[in-house]
Amino acid sequence: MIDAQQTVTAKWTDDEPLECVSILPEAPDVVTVCFQAPSGRPFEFLAGQFLTLELPVPGGPIYRTYTISSAPTRPKSLTITIKAQPGSVGTRWIMDNVRPGTRLKVRGPAGRFTSTHFPAKKYLFISAGSGITPMMSMTTEIYDLGRHCDIVFVNCARRPSEIIFKRRLEHMASRIEGLDLKWVVRESDIYQPWTGYQGRFNQLMLGLMAPDYLEREVFCCGPDGFMQAVSEALAGLGFDMAHYHQESFGAPEAGELPVVETGTSADTPVETAKLVFEESGVTHDCSSMDTVLHAARAAGVAIPFGCSMGVCGSCRIRKLSGEVHMVHNGGISDDEIEEGYILACCSNPRGTVTLEA
Ligand SMILES: Cc1cc2nc3c(=O)[nH]c(=O)nc-3n(C[C@H](O)[C@H](O)[C@H](O)COP(=O)(O)OP(=O)(O)OC[C@H]3O[C@@H](n4cnc5c(N)ncnc54)[C@H](O)[C@@H]3O)c2cc1C
């Protein structure tokens, strides 16, 4: 039960679980789950950031990362909007099991795919499927603040009925100047005439939708193949890719995302390594090619993890001594590295490494 009467001064932190208060169907296999803090504390995050949820599925917890689809201008609650793909384990578990009153442990918020990190006068948001969630948060924040905005908002879906947030965005666009919505579908719904764009998003559509695209800060989110097509189209048109930002929801292909390397060189020859997990009292021999996460799991030491690609930050642990080679995708800040933290999923041990876990 949420204590709504409590005088609230402090902000919510992830020491406290989230409590589901409602679930809203959005589209086929897509729902929005609304959470509040049991203490009533307000949330503080940047539009576009994500949370990693611990899901107590049978057989032990698993971790899944979801963008906060609501805006920080509405801090008393937050929502995630989740799409279950065929064969989904985690997202499907949420849909089947989370109900009003369910409490879940989470980590975050985190992430740099935000308009705060890349402020601009003009935006071009391009998304497909559930990749619309960070764009929804950023657009709602700008709408709530009542600021002048200049956003070309492109969303691609298989069919019109699968466009997430269509009516809410159209309502916003009817109340402010400068929110220009463009929908692209692959096929129309049966007996529902479609007069918008149809086909695969391409360079020609880009020029028609946003003739001044070269002046815009571009945010792109969707399946990896979609983002690759968008970034190649922009680069081919001479767009300055320093103003292009993308968020991957799945494991990236090698070399697809800008990576940040820290620690010793990757060129070190394969050697034996040793991990000492101090709190668990476990010592484990492994190779310098193993990730700390992989070796920890082999040794029976449970480290929470989510994306396994150095984005979500769920597997952050403190290194007490020794060296690792870490190649992350923005899931850990320079300050955290300075404080001795590493991401287990993308760190390879060099020699003997002692960890807090
Ligand atoms: C930074 C970040 C933000 C994210 N935000 C959202 C969000 O707002 N909404 C949302 O629904 N998801 C989001 N995701 C993706 C989410 O974390 C899960 O990876 C995704 O939902 C798949 O998990 P699952 O439990 O449903 O499926 P799993 O049980 O992990 O996988 C089941 C099947 O789906 C395939 N699969 C796995 N991931 C994807 C994917 N992303 N797309 C298509 N197929 C996939 C697998 O190959 C497998 O066949 C985000 C991910 C990241 C890293």
Side-chain angles (χ1 to χ4, degrees):
M1 184 69 186
I2 311 288
D3 182 2
Q5 300 305 314
Q6 188 172 325
T7 309
V8 173
T9 47
K11 306 282 190 216
W12 174 86
T13 67
D14 62 7
D15 295 334
E16 189 184 4
L18 294 182
E19 183 170 316
C20 169
V21 289
S22 61
I23 299 165
L24 179 72
E26 298 278 5
D29 284 322
V30 182
V31 299
T32 290
V33 187
C34 182
F35 294 100
Q36 288 181 6
S39 65
R41 288 182 176 159
F43 297 102
E44 193 169 44
F45 59 95
L46 301 177
Q49 286 192 309
F50 53 77
L51 293 169
T52 299
L53 278 61
E54 180 179 312
L55 308 176
V57 303
I62 59 171
Y63 299 82
R64 292 288 184 274
T65 300
Y66 301 101
T67 305
I68 302 169
S69 54
S70 54
T73 36
R74 304 176 187 190
K76 293 282 182 71
S77 64
L78 64 75
T79 63
I80 56 169
T81 301
I82 60 175
K83 178 169 186 153
Q85 311 287 346
S88 158
V89 177
T91 306
R92 183 57 68 191
W93 182 90
I94 298 177
M95 289 182 174
D96 291 347
N97 293 279
V98 171
R99 297 289 174 265
T102 306
R103 291 187 180 187
L104 292 175
K105 289 187 194 165
V106 302
R107 287 201 180 193
R112 292 178 54 82
F113 189 72
T114 77
S115 45
T116 309
H117 281 95
F118 305 103
K121 288 206 172 76
K122 293 175 165 198
Y123 289 105
L124 172 57
F125 293 159
I126 309 180
S127 59
S130 58
I132 198 170
T133 50
M135 319 304 181
M136 185 63 181
S137 180
M138 290 189 265
T139 304
T140 308
E141 180 181 45
I142 291 167
Y143 171 82
D144 283 349
L145 291 173
R147 286 199 211 127
H148 170 78
C149 75
D150 187 341
I151 303 172
V152 177
F153 190 113
V154 182
N155 180 254
C156 305
R158 199 185 335 245
R159 295 182 195 90
S161 56
E162 294 183 24
I163 300 173
I164 306 169
F165 303 133
K166 185 166 180 282
R167 276 193 290 174
R168 279 167 59 190
L169 283 159
E170 284 171 348
H171 175 74
M172 282 196 260
S174 73
R175 310 284 302 166
I176 47 166
E177 269 183 65
L179 174 56
D180 193 4
L181 304 175
K182 309 286 184 193
W183 314 119
V184 185
V185 298
R186 298 286 298 282
E187 58 191 68
S188 57
D189 289 306
I190 191 159
Y191 304 129
Q192 298 285 334
W194 175 255
T195 54
Y197 291 90
Q198 193 161 347
R200 280 184 188 274
F201 180 75
N202 57 39
Q203 286 181 338
L204 187 62
M205 285 183 196
L206 179 63
L208 292 169
M209 292 169 171
D212 58 351
Y213 62 87
L214 289 174
E215 298 161 23
R216 292 180 180 271
E217 201 72 20
V218 179
F219 283 74
C220 181
C221 188
D224 288 347
F226 170 80
M227 292 193 296
Q228 193 179 340
V230 171
S231 62
E232 282 174 7
L234 282 165
L237 289 163
F239 186 78
D240 176 359
M241 297 307 277
H243 295 282
Y244 172 85
H245 318 282
Q246 67 176 34
E247 178 105 287
S248 175
F249 278 9
E253 302 294 327
E256 190 177 318
L257 288 174
V259 292
V260 185
E261 294 197 27
T262 61
T264 54
S265 160
D267 299 333
T268 316
V270 180
E271 290 171 353
T272 55
K274 189 189 291 279
L275 294 179
V276 182
F277 298 98
E278 191 144 290
E279 279 174 8
S280 316
V282 173
T283 299
H284 180 73
D285 291 324
C286 60
S287 137
S288 59
M289 293 294 281
D290 288 323
T291 63
V292 170
L293 179 62
H294 181 261
R297 287 166 67 79
V301 176
I303 296 177
F305 68 98
C307 67
S308 299
M309 57 183 181
V311 171
C312 75
S314 339
C315 60
R316 194 191 63 171
I317 49 169
R318 194 191 289 275
K319 175 168 69 69
L320 302 175
S321 67
E323 288 294 325
V324 299
H325 175 251
M326 179 164 65
V327 183
H328 69 87
N329 282 306
I332 188 167
S333 69
D334 291 343
D335 287 349
E336 289 168 329
I337 295 171
E338 194 69 24
E339 288 166 25
Y341 286 98
I342 62 164
L343 295 184
C345 73
C346 54
S347 294
N348 303 99
R350 300 286 183 258
T352 300
V353 180
T354 305
L355 301 150
E356 201 171 51

